[in-house]
Amino acid sequence: MTQARDFWSRRKAAVQAETEAEALAAEEQIITTRQVELEERSDAEILSEFDLPDPDTLQAGDDVSGFMAKAVPDRLRRRALRRLWRLNPVLANVDGLVDYGEDYTDAACVIENLQTAYQVGKGMLAHVEVLAAEAEEQECDPETDTLDVIEAREEPAKAEEPAPEPMIVADVEEPEKLEVPPAPRRMKFEFEG
């Protein structure tokens, strides 16, 4: 007897779930057709139909729950939420301590056809060597440089220091004798081993 009740209770639950699914599907169909109709209309017409204020004129403390209805198009809902986020200082001023507040995916920083001088296993060495060779060629060109230019490159220019002024020995004061404590003695350790 328990099997019969179990079968009919399962059957009844399945029929009820089926009717609920059909009702949800019908409701979704109505909402999607309504949204398609609303997408074709202007924002001012939609706002007057739902008796909502312009999202750009919202002030701090205004109620935005009317924009959260399913019948309101997403574009108006997003405008209202953006305005709300700008007005609320907690939402508008991120403190910078949010670990995942930025887009750290590779897609965010990939540049099409990016070419670098980096070589796997060698790094930037080849690029640096080419730059050093070019700089060396520019520095020393034996065909155009004269002997004076080559010597000037080899010996860096020395700045002339002014000669010290002569001092009269009689005017120099002798430093006072400083009392310096004796240095500590080293201890010798003998190890038996």
Side-chain angles (χ1 to χ4, degrees), residues 3-20:
Q3 285 183 334
R5 281 189 232 160
D6 191 42
F7 170 78
W8 288 113
S9 61
R10 285 184 291 165
R11 175 73 180 136
K12 185 177 177 182
V15 169
Q16 185 179 5
E18 187 176 311
T19 55
E20 288 176 2

Side-chain angles (χ1 to χ4, degrees), residues 2-100:
T2 57
Q3 285 183 334
R5 281 189 232 160
D6 191 42
F7 170 78
W8 288 113
S9 61
R10 285 184 291 165
R11 175 73 180 136
K12 185 177 177 182
V15 169
Q16 185 179 5
E18 187 176 311
T19 55
E20 288 176 2
E22 288 175 0
L24 283 174
E27 184 179 331
E28 289 292 325
Q29 180 68 24
I30 292 170
I31 290 173
T32 53
T33 56
R34 179 75 174 143
Q35 286 178 348
V36 169
E37 291 173 6
L38 291 175
E39 291 294 328
E40 297 171 357
R41 297 170 65 190
S42 70
D43 290 347
E45 293 173 353
I46 297 170
L47 290 172
S48 64
E49 180 182 335
F50 289 106
D51 194 31
L52 295 172
D54 185 19
D56 297 330
T57 60
L58 291 174
Q59 298 297 322
D62 286 349
D63 185 26
V64 293
S65 60
F67 290 97
M68 301 303 136
K70 286 185 177 181
V72 177
D74 285 339
R75 66 177 188 263
L76 289 175
R77 183 178 302 117
R78 287 188 187 122
R79 281 179 51 196
L81 288 174
R82 284 188 186 123
R83 181 68 181 165
L84 173 69
W85 289 330
R86 283 189 212 118
L87 291 174
N88 190 343
V90 173
L91 300 174
N93 301 320
V94 178
D95 61 358
L97 299 175
V98 180
D99 290 338
Y100 301 105

Side-chain angles (χ1 to χ4, degrees), residues 92-155:
N93 301 320
V94 178
D95 61 358
L97 299 175
V98 180
D99 290 338
Y100 301 105
E102 299 291 328
D103 185 10
Y104 293 106
T105 59
D106 287 340
C109 60
V110 171
I111 300 171
E112 293 285 328
N113 301 323
L114 177 67
Q115 296 179 358
T116 65
Y118 179 78
Q119 294 177 352
V120 178
K122 295 181 182 177
M124 303 287 281
L125 184 62
H127 180 66
V128 172
E129 288 175 351
V130 170
L131 289 176
E134 288 176 1
E136 186 176 306
E137 286 176 8
Q138 289 176 355
E139 282 182 8
C140 185
D141 189 9
E143 296 176 3
T144 59
D145 289 347
T146 61
L147 185 59
D148 296 336
V149 174
I150 295 172
E151 288 177 358
R153 284 191 188 138
E154 290 175 358
E155 295 180 19

